[in-house]
Amino acid sequence: MKRLIVAAGGGGDAVAAAMLHSALYGDEDQAVILTYAWDRLLVDPVPGPRGPDNFTGLEQLTPAVWTVPANARPIAPAGSTLPRLAAELPHTFALLDPHHGVEGVTRQLEELIDHLSPESIDLLDVGGAILARADEPTLKSPLADALTLAACCQVNAPVRLLVAGPSLDGELPVDDVRALLGARIHTFTPADVESVSSVLEWHPSEATGMLAATARGVRGTCEVRDAGLPIALTDEGPTVHEVDLDEAVTRNQLARAIMATETLDEVEAHSREICGYSEIDYERNKAAWLKDQPPADLVPQTVLAQLDEFEAEARRRGVTHTTFRHLTEVLNLDGSQREDLRRLLIGNRPEQYSAPLWQIP
């Protein structure tokens, strides 16, 4: 294994890491991708990230690092996309465990570096929320990025910070992100996307889905998340930029505050103090609310009629695309129905499938 890639926020960042490896390093030895098992409530109904105790079938790589092979399974009721990623992609997925705070993540990194002696270490974030100060009103999920950023700056090895798809995560205004970017090192192409094309058919990540779509030439405005946030799909979408790691740490108040933390509870406490909230609290509240909100039945005729209403309203808002994750929320379905919804819509209106997004005609 010549390369170590840290997926800054987990989730779709791990898929983007696989795409990055294919684009930059080609067919050489595959990467170890260190990533959270944190898939949000559409996949995992349990709030917050999962640790090794939440899986069966993990394989120990170092004293603090476990890999997630294809036959690993999350222990119910938890869910995770990582075993399926391991089954479909050639890389080794190592479980980033934030439950011991930044000190624990730093220890994991140090052990991996000693064990692998990688030729390169990339810290990859899709969108650029890792560059936040941590007090921006548009910021929604700073915790995971701040943890990995704080840990990466403490290891005794060179780490390159990369931001792909500037502002595709909808966390920071595009002008703010653009002003912080360094040299462009790559622009993803349709050929680059092929390495993860099968994964994009089912993975729920919206930011990485839009990254792939812009690499394939899709342009317009994509509506995402439960709140219907509009994201511009532009020529900047498929770009990858290097950013000075030390400057990012200096800017990120949360990352600096949590350097010596030994538990996730400590990290959350700092997030509440600096950002005014913990995103895991948001997940806890939403999970409690969802328990009292039975999902709608997926009746094809009803769903297609509701889709027509949504598309008419979306057109008036200037929306050209959306994600299946957003449609699942809009149509009052739950995460377990997302794949059935996707099959229904593509089966009935294949001309609107702009992989992996849904086009608003």
Side-chain angles (χ1 to χ4, degrees), residues 74-258:
I75 298 171
S80 175
T81 58
L82 289 183
R84 190 169 178 182
L85 283 182
E88 295 193 20
L89 297 176
H91 307 286
T92 296
F93 291 90
L95 184 62
L96 195 159
D97 182 10
H99 292 91
H100 301 287
V102 171
E103 289 200 0
V105 176
T106 303
R107 181 165 56 251
Q108 286 189 296
L109 278 167
E110 289 172 340
E111 289 183 8
L112 270 179
I113 292 166
D114 288 343
H115 181 76
L116 299 172
S117 298
E119 288 188 13
S120 65
I121 307 167
D122 294 320
L123 172 60
L124 176 65
D125 177 46
V126 177
I130 200 168
L131 306 179
R133 295 186 309 271
D135 61 356
E136 292 90 346
T138 53
L139 190 64
K140 301 298 181 185
S141 53
L143 193 149
D145 292 334
L147 261 163
T148 49
L149 179 61
C152 283
C153 78
Q154 295 188 75
V155 297
N156 187 26
V159 178
R160 180 172 63 164
L161 173 57
L162 300 176
V163 170
S167 289
L168 288 182
D169 56 358
E171 298 274 325
L172 299 177
V174 63
D175 290 340
D176 290 2
V177 175
R178 187 186 294 119
L180 301 169
L181 299 176
R184 181 187 302 190
I185 66 163
H186 188 69
T187 299
F188 285 121
T189 67
D192 295 330
V193 179
E194 286 308 304
S195 64
V196 297
S197 59
S198 66
V199 171
L200 294 170
E201 294 298 307
W202 58 265
H203 199 281
S205 171
E206 293 179 307
T208 298
M210 290 185 287
L211 176 67
T214 57
R216 287 169 165 164
V218 175
R219 299 292 183 267
T221 299
C222 186
E223 194 167 88
V224 302
R225 293 188 186 166
D226 49 0
L229 183 71
I231 304 292
L233 306 178
T234 70
D235 291 345
E236 289 183 297
T239 64
V240 184
H241 295 259
E242 186 171 359
V243 181
D244 186 274
L245 184 72
D246 291 335
E247 289 183 6
V249 174
T250 298
R251 178 179 174 82
N252 193 311
Q253 301 173 55
L254 181 58
R256 294 199 312 275
I258 62 177

Side-chain angles (χ1 to χ4, degrees), residues 261-272:
T261 52
E262 297 180 353
T263 69
L264 184 56
D265 287 344
E266 289 180 86
V267 176
E268 280 200 86
H270 284 291
S271 182
R272 294 184 191 105

